[in-house]
Amino acid sequence: MTIDWSAFTPWSALAGGVLIGLSASLFILANGRIAGISGLLGSLLERTGDGLLDKALFVSGLLLAPLLWTVVVGAPEARFESGWPALLLAGLMVGIGTRYGAGCTSGHGVCGLARLSPRSLVATLVFMTAGFLSTYVLRHLIGGGL
Amino acid sequence: MSRVSALLAGLLFGLGLLLSGMADPAKVLAFLDLAGAWDPSLALVMAAAIAVALPGFALAGRKQVSWLGLPMGLPAGRDIDRRLVGGSLLFGVGWGIAGICPGPALVLLPTGHWQAGLFVLAMLAGMVLYAGLEARRRRRSGN
């Protein structure tokens, strides 16, 4: 392992993490909801559960953020390394997997770990390991990605 | 009031993803690529988010209703089963392919990159497919 110090951005990472933590705290304390994006999206798609308007507004806030960012800071950096077949496959896997596993990086990784849930700890360890492995296979065994 | 806090929470979350670099697929992949030129930034994003949310969830766990009088919707499930592990495995592999998870996918959508649109469409299709399979499974098992 070689650490790429030139790409390491500790302060913006910490500051961004603080905002995410504040958001999750606000959503649970004020609205009584878990800020898990896949769960919110699934609930909206299936029109199940209550508080659908609040969930839709959370998602709207998420969609407004890049617009506000563009006005104040400029266009957000978004570098895509995948072609369309990889994006299609990855999107499908993320959609199905997060629903079967009942959470993603936000629901299990942030909210679940913050409430010390053993279930979320297992989920997080599994998806992080799987993420490391699939990146390794694509970049170093197959080479160049999909 | 719950409308305002929901919108604000979503906005804060999105700004956090942008500020942290989580909404840039290349930066996420640089974190997931342990054998390459590793960028540890995203470990700090999670550490900070969890540290800040810990007291919030500790407080929420002791309350029956939220500040705005809404029911406290903390997950009740405790099972560590095949669904949890299999689903997380599938999600993790997908995440490692493109470097995009659900939150960043939505934040990337308004930036107008076709890649974001395609990823979100595929992700939503996956979620709809899951819902269909679940409905069929429930009908078959009769509950």
Side-chain angles (χ1 to χ4, degrees):
Chain A
M1 181 192 289
T2 0
I3 294 183
D4 185 358
W5 292 109
S6 64
F8 186 40
T9 50
W11 299 114
S12 56
L14 287 170
V18 167
L19 290 187
I20 293 168
L22 285 175
S23 158
S25 303
L26 173 65
F27 206 37
I28 192 68
L29 287 169
N31 293 65
R33 299 269 172 218
I34 296 284
I37 314 302
S38 56
L40 293 172
L41 277 178
S43 182
L44 287 171
L45 282 173
E46 295 173 34
R47 296 186 190 81
T48 50
D50 47 2
L52 285 179
L53 181 57
D54 288 2
K55 292 173 183 171
L57 282 164
F58 183 97
V59 170
S60 308
L62 209 52
L63 292 168
L64 276 175
L67 303 175
L68 183 68
W69 184 273
T70 303
V71 171
V72 178
V73 186
E77 183 149 35
R79 298 162 296 165
F80 294 88
E81 297 183 355
S82 320
W84 69 265
L87 288 162
L88 207 58
L89 179 68
L92 269 174
M93 291 177 90
V94 168
I96 299 172
T98 52
R99 299 299 291 139
Y100 267 109
C104 54
T105 15
S106 50
H108 283 311
V110 175
C111 297
L113 291 186
R115 59 186 190 90
L116 310 174
S117 152
R119 192 173 134 81
S120 289
L121 177 63
V122 171
T124 305
L125 289 175
V126 170
F127 70 66
M128 294 290 298
T129 308
F132 288 131
L133 285 176
S134 77
T135 306
Y136 180 78
V137 168
L138 285 174
R139 285 194 167 180
H140 301 285
L141 296 185
I142 299 174
L146 283 180
Chain B
M1 209 41 210
S2 76
R3 277 60 167 141
V4 178
S5 57
L7 186 71
L8 186 66
L11 189 63
L12 264 179
F13 201 104
L15 292 174
L17 289 173
L18 286 161
L19 182 58
S20 65
M22 264 294 253
D24 179 6
K27 191 162 176 73
V28 174
L29 287 175
F31 169 73
L32 289 176
D33 188 6
L34 290 174
W38 192 51
D39 175 357
S41 306
L42 298 190
L44 296 184
V45 181
M46 275 191 88
I50 293 165
V52 169
L54 262 168
F57 279 98
L59 191 59
R62 288 197 295 270
K63 292 172 81 80
Q64 297 300 315
V65 290
S66 77
W67 288 340
L68 301 175
L70 295 161
M72 205 39 99
L74 290 167
R78 302 194 63 83
D79 295 351
I80 295 169
D81 52 13
R82 271 205 338 233
R83 292 174 61 92
L84 180 80
V85 174
S88 299
L89 198 64
L90 192 63
F91 161 49
V93 172
W95 189 33
I97 292 175
I100 310 171
C101 56
L106 292 183
V107 167
L108 284 166
L109 194 59
T111 62
H113 291 90
W114 66 266
Q115 291 97 330
L118 180 64
F119 184 93
V120 169
L121 275 180
M123 178 176 78
L124 295 179
M127 289 180 168
V128 170
L129 189 65
Y130 160 85
L133 289 171
E134 272 299 287
R136 207 176 69 168
R137 192 181 67 93
R138 281 205 201 93
R139 272 200 304 276
R140 279 194 177 162
S141 63
N143 52 32

